[in-house]
Amino acid sequence: MALPDLVAQVERRLPHPDDFTSPARGPRTTARLGLALGVAFGICFLTGMWSHYQYSMPGWLPIGPNPSWLYRVTQGVHVISGTAAIPLLLVKLWSVYPRLFLRPPREIRALALDGLERASIAVLVASGIFQLATGVLNIAQWYPWEFSFRRTHEAVAWIAIGSILVHVAVKLPVIREALVGRADDGESEASDGPSRRAVLLGAGAASGLAVLLTAGQTVPFLRKVSVLGVRDGDGPQDLPVNRTARAAGAREAAQDPSFVLEVRHGAKVVSLTRAQLAELPQRTHRLPIACVEGWSRNATWTGVAIHDLLALVDAPADSTVKVRSMQTRGAFGTSELPGDFVSDPRTLLALELNGEVLDLDHGYPCRIIAPNRPGVMQTKWVRNLEVVA
Ligand SMILES: Nc1nc2c(c(=O)[nH]1)N[C@H]1C(S)=C(S)[C@@H](COP(=O)(O)O)O[C@H]1N2
Ligand SMILES: [Mo]
């Protein structure tokens, strides 16, 4: 068979946009879903970048210890808006996929423009799905890939937000017409299938349900209804554990009776046993653990203020401090406390959690807890504090 005949045959078998007759599809549906999705992605992008910069602490972004709950809220909003976007994206794809079968125009200029638009939409869909999928897997703590989650999730976020902006710019006339115009895109009371109203309500309900079933990982009063929450809140001392002492290879060192904490300032070094730490002035504060893997929880912490420990080695209260743990496996074994966190009296080397001696999995013999700080930097099983600036 000659190639042109084959192409013609395949073409005849492909569906045609007109074959999809649901009255609920059309620009008015798509534009409304797109608006909701745009808001969800926008919020997700901003809160995600906030979290990203919290690690690198660029000088132009003033991030301090106040308010203590800020990171908890931005992280929760990030996960909630991402979760809400999933059903919206699926329904939006359903509403437009017949257009995939539009035959390309024959005229060369129109063909080129059509190709560009399709390519930009392909980038948009691929990056959007990538972000939501890697986000969900991150919450499930399942990393079936080789690349660095944070750097890749950040890089693709820029691609996603950029392609959304291009898409909105290209579609602006259609969007405007669909949202404010009176144009009828074919919906009629008599046709069968769900109405546009039903599809939009369904998408909204699915989105709300997805949030309800997971948001309890962050929002305390939803804890009971969030049956799909990966962290149901179970864990010793009423706090989930992100990585156990066994997984971090910290069991032995952490339980060694000859443990001493070392505080170092240049040549000046002080070593303290746990009993000596417990004899120093103790402070109690209520502070959250807010994990980038999608959960957060408030707890009551008791321990020694970091700047009180610095005073023992004659270091200024606003020094930058490098924290090292005794873990032997995996990431997050060290962190840095900037000066404005160190001088805050709520930044503790915690010895107790919710009124009990810190559980081994929560960082026994001692761990960092500071206000407005990502969970990954609340270093557990601390062995050494060093003044670095
Ligand atoms: N040394 C060390 N500290 C660590 C971690 C770690 O893997 N190693 N995980 C961090 C992460 S990601 C979080 S969210 C918090 C969780 O504290 P929790 O397990 O006590 O709830 O501990 C942080 N401290
Ligand atoms: Mo975390």
Side-chain angles (χ1 to χ4, degrees), residues 46-386:
L46 292 175
T47 49
M49 286 302 154
W50 181 256
S51 180
H52 178 73
Y53 288 124
Q54 195 110 20
Y55 284 77
S56 47
M57 297 258 185
W60 51 265
L61 196 65
I63 299 179
N66 287 308
S68 64
W69 43 261
L70 182 61
Y71 183 75
R72 182 177 190 201
V73 170
T74 59
Q75 179 58 20
V77 169
H78 181 69
V79 172
I80 287 172
S81 55
T83 307
I86 295 171
L88 297 175
L89 179 65
L90 293 176
V91 182
K92 187 169 193 280
L93 291 177
W94 168 85
S95 83
V96 292
Y97 92 92
R99 294 178 57 80
L100 212 59
F101 303 109
L102 273 174
R103 304 303 189 257
R106 301 202 175 269
E107 196 252 320
I108 193 80
R109 209 180 93 94
L111 183 68
L113 282 177
D114 184 68
L116 275 179
E117 198 195 335
R118 281 178 191 250
S120 79
I121 290 176
V123 173
L124 170 62
V125 172
S127 57
I129 291 177
F130 181 87
Q131 288 302 81
L132 297 180
T134 50
V136 166
L137 292 178
N138 178 246
I139 292 170
Q141 281 197 319
W142 186 36
Y143 299 99
W145 51 67
E146 297 280 315
F147 52 76
S148 147
F149 169 80
R150 185 166 68 91
R151 286 173 52 201
T152 314
H153 201 65
E154 189 236 350
V156 179
W158 287 104
I159 298 175
I161 207 76
S163 57
I164 288 173
L165 292 178
V166 170
H167 183 62
V168 170
V170 169
K171 292 286 185 193
L172 207 51
V174 184
I175 296 170
R176 193 179 289 144
E177 179 67 22
L179 290 183
V180 299
R182 310 212 147 266
D184 181 17
D185 55 22
E187 185 182 355
S188 76
E189 296 300 321
S191 2
D192 9 284
S195 67
R196 173 169 60 228
R197 233 181 110 72
V199 166
L200 290 177
L201 281 176
S207 181
L209 192 64
V211 167
L212 271 185
L213 291 180
T214 52
Q217 296 179 101
T218 290
V219 185
F221 67 86
L222 288 177
R223 215 183 287 166
K224 289 276 179 292
V225 289
S226 289
V227 292
L228 293 186
V230 179
R231 298 315 148 82
D232 51 8
D234 289 346
Q237 302 171 329
D238 199 28
L239 184 76
V241 169
N242 215 64
R243 185 186 287 147
T244 61
R246 181 183 300 278
R251 272 182 74 89
E252 253 127 82
Q255 289 174 299
D256 185 342
S258 67
F259 163 81
V260 284
L261 172 85
E262 192 182 85
V263 187
R264 185 180 286 270
H265 176 214
K268 195 150 185 171
V269 184
V270 168
S271 295
L272 298 156
T273 64
R274 197 176 185 286
Q276 288 170 322
L277 284 170
E279 274 158 28
L280 293 173
Q282 304 289 304
R283 304 177 193 240
T284 298
H285 293 289
R286 228 175 136 66
L287 291 171
I289 293 270
C291 179
V292 292
E293 285 166 322
W295 63 273
S296 64
R297 182 72 67 83
N298 250 330
T300 303
W301 305 89
T302 300
V304 187
I306 298 294
H307 63 60
D308 287 348
L309 290 169
L310 295 197
L312 302 177
V313 289
D314 303 322
D318 62 349
S319 309
T320 304
V321 172
K322 176 104 189 168
V323 181
R324 293 188 190 86
S325 84
M326 39 193 138
Q327 83 178 47
T328 55
R329 272 199 295 275
F332 315 133
T334 64
S335 68
E336 204 166 277
L337 282 165
D340 48 351
F341 285 81
V342 170
S343 59
D344 190 303
R346 295 166 300 174
T347 298
L348 303 179
L349 185 72
L351 306 176
E352 289 182 17
L353 163 57
N354 289 335
E356 294 169 15
V357 170
L358 210 51
D359 189 275
L360 184 58
D361 286 334
H362 285 309
Y364 180 90
C366 55
R367 64 109 36 100
I368 295 295
I369 183 80
N372 190 27
R373 189 162 158 92
V376 292
M377 299 175 172
Q378 310 276 32
T379 309
K380 305 196 274 194
W381 313 294
V382 173
R383 124 132 59 228
N384 169 285
L385 299 173
E386 184 178 359

